[in-house]
Amino acid sequence: MKTLRCLAFIALFFAAVPGLYATDNAQADKIFKALVAAEIAKDYDAFIAGADDTLRAALTKTQFEASSNLMNKRTGGGYETTLLGELNQRGYQVFLYRLRFKDGGDDMLATMSLKNDKVGGIYFH
């Protein structure tokens, strides 16, 4: 009977894992979409609001504005984002996204690294 309870506990634990993973992805998706919205709105303060100290120190307002200008050229006709996957690198969760633009041009790949729900880096390429 004790073994049966142990197996039931293990089964419940592993049944809950996909839900935990989905919550992590949902939180990452919320953060990513907020960053893209801030980029489009050219709102530097909103963009770095969830950044860690390293990203805050590295990203100047001038760099942000240049990136925003490029992003705005592509997003005028609309876009959609798709989470492609997640990696673990150097203590960060790195989320890979595809941005598909409705202007028919090339897609863009974005990587966003998170640690404790703080953005350690974001790169659009």
Side-chain angles (χ1 to χ4, degrees):
M1 189 67 171
K2 193 173 187 180
T3 303
L4 186 57
R5 276 188 277 180
C6 183
L7 289 173
F9 175 75
I10 291 170
L12 285 173
F13 173 78
F14 283 106
V17 169
L20 293 174
Y21 183 74
T23 301
D24 290 345
N25 285 350
Q27 180 66 12
D29 209 38
K30 180 180 172 184
I31 293 167
F32 181 74
K33 287 177 179 177
L35 289 171
V36 172
E39 181 104 21
I40 292 167
K42 298 183 178 185
D43 188 343
Y44 176 75
D45 293 330
F47 191 84
I48 64 165
D52 67 12
D53 292 339
T54 304
L55 180 57
R56 284 176 186 264
L59 182 64
T60 67
K61 194 167 187 172
T62 302
Q63 291 169 322
F64 172 78
E65 288 171 354
S67 177
S68 288
N69 289 337
L70 291 173
M71 184 68 81
N72 275 300
K73 289 179 183 178
R74 297 296 311 280
T75 58
Y79 67 96
E80 60 185 46
T81 62
T82 305
L83 176 64
L84 300 175
E86 175 192 352
L87 306 167
N88 291 313
Q89 293 183 331
R90 298 183 179 151
Y92 286 87
Q93 288 179 282
V94 179
F95 294 87
L96 308 171
Y97 284 89
R98 177 182 66 204
L99 278 84
R100 177 162 284 164
F101 300 100
K102 302 211 175 170
D103 67 4
D106 292 342
D107 293 348
M108 186 181 289
L109 181 67
T111 56
M112 176 185 68
S113 58
L114 296 176
K115 184 187 269 185
N116 301 322
D117 288 335
K118 292 285 188 184
V119 180
I122 185 160
Y123 184 67
F124 299 96
H125 41 115

